[in-house]
Amino acid sequence: MGCCTGRCTLIFLCTLQLLAALERQVFDFLGYQWAPILANFLHIIIVILGLFGTIQYRPRYIVVYAIWTAIWVTWNIFIICFYLEVGGLSKDSELLTFNISQHQSWWSENGPGCIRKEASMAGIKGLDSHSYISVIGCALEYQYIEVMHSSVQILVALVGFVYACYVVSVFTEEEDSFDFIGGFDPFPLYHVNEKPTNLLCKQTYLPA
């Protein structure tokens, strides 16, 4: 029962992580955040591997998933520090876009309550076709939305790590106990006491 409960819970957590990662991937694509896009893609692959290992009773796959959750927590802590500008980091830098573009988080212009205004810059030489975009009225700043996303990812990953370790330990104990009772022995113990067929026949047809 304990194995079933832990295994079912881990399957639920992996499914929840997949949904959260896909949701995050969509918004990172919209914001051209290339570093998070690559991290999310790798995260989705490892979570699918962990889900497969849980369903198919493959503890090695679950171990890989558990190791990745620790890395995933570290990555999301970095994202939180990046958007809160901790340790000299700046949310306005192009670090997450690999300096390819000047895009920021999609939530910076499309957050809850945000009103996007475009002001023409035709008066400036060389910028006739450009416009300045200002965002006002946001109910919640985009960096806090990103921090909440990362916090949810950390929380689910930590719970997933705990259950992954538990499920691996249960699977390992079951395999050890199965080996102990001869589950993988190609010559079961009852063959030792089994008498040859021809000897049994001789005993049957002995004269009275």
Side-chain angles (χ1 to χ4, degrees), residues 6-119:
R7 179 170 166 266
C8 294
T9 304
L10 186 57
I11 290 173
F12 170 75
L13 289 171
C14 288
T15 305
L16 183 62
Q17 278 186 303
L18 273 179
L19 295 176
L22 290 172
E23 179 265 342
R24 193 176 189 180
Q25 185 77 311
V26 169
F27 292 113
D28 285 337
F29 261 115
L30 293 174
Y32 302 97
Q33 305 294 294
W34 302 116
I37 287 171
L38 292 176
N40 292 334
F41 180 73
L42 184 58
H43 177 61
I44 290 171
I45 292 176
I46 300 297
V47 171
I48 292 175
L49 185 67
L51 183 61
F52 175 79
T54 306
I55 295 174
Q56 296 294 324
Y57 295 91
R58 304 290 180 87
R60 291 183 181 179
Y61 294 167
I62 304 176
V63 169
V64 174
Y65 163 80
I67 295 173
W68 170 253
T69 54
I71 300 174
W72 184 243
V73 167
T74 305
W75 165 255
N76 281 278
I77 290 174
F78 166 75
I79 294 295
I80 291 175
C81 293
F82 176 81
Y83 281 107
L84 295 182
E85 299 184 332
V86 177
L89 296 171
S90 174
K91 66 179 183 297
D92 297 322
S93 68
E94 301 173 6
L95 183 62
L96 298 185
T97 60
F98 296 138
N99 295 321
I100 297 176
S101 63
Q102 296 181 351
H103 291 88
Q104 290 183 333
S105 170
W106 181 83
W107 297 103
S108 61
E109 298 179 5
N110 302 276
C114 291
I115 300 175
R116 193 165 172 268
K117 292 185 177 181
E118 294 186 7

Side-chain angles (χ1 to χ4, degrees), residues 39 42 55 67 73 80 99 106 109 117 119 126 128-129 146 152-153 160 166 174-175 177 183 190 194:
L42 184 58
I55 295 174
I67 295 173
V73 167
I80 291 175
N99 295 321
W106 181 83
E109 298 179 5
K117 292 185 177 181
D128 293 343
S129 60
E146 294 288 356
V152 171
Q153 294 285 343
Y166 170 71
E174 288 185 351
E175 287 183 357
S177 63
Y190 64 81
E194 193 177 72

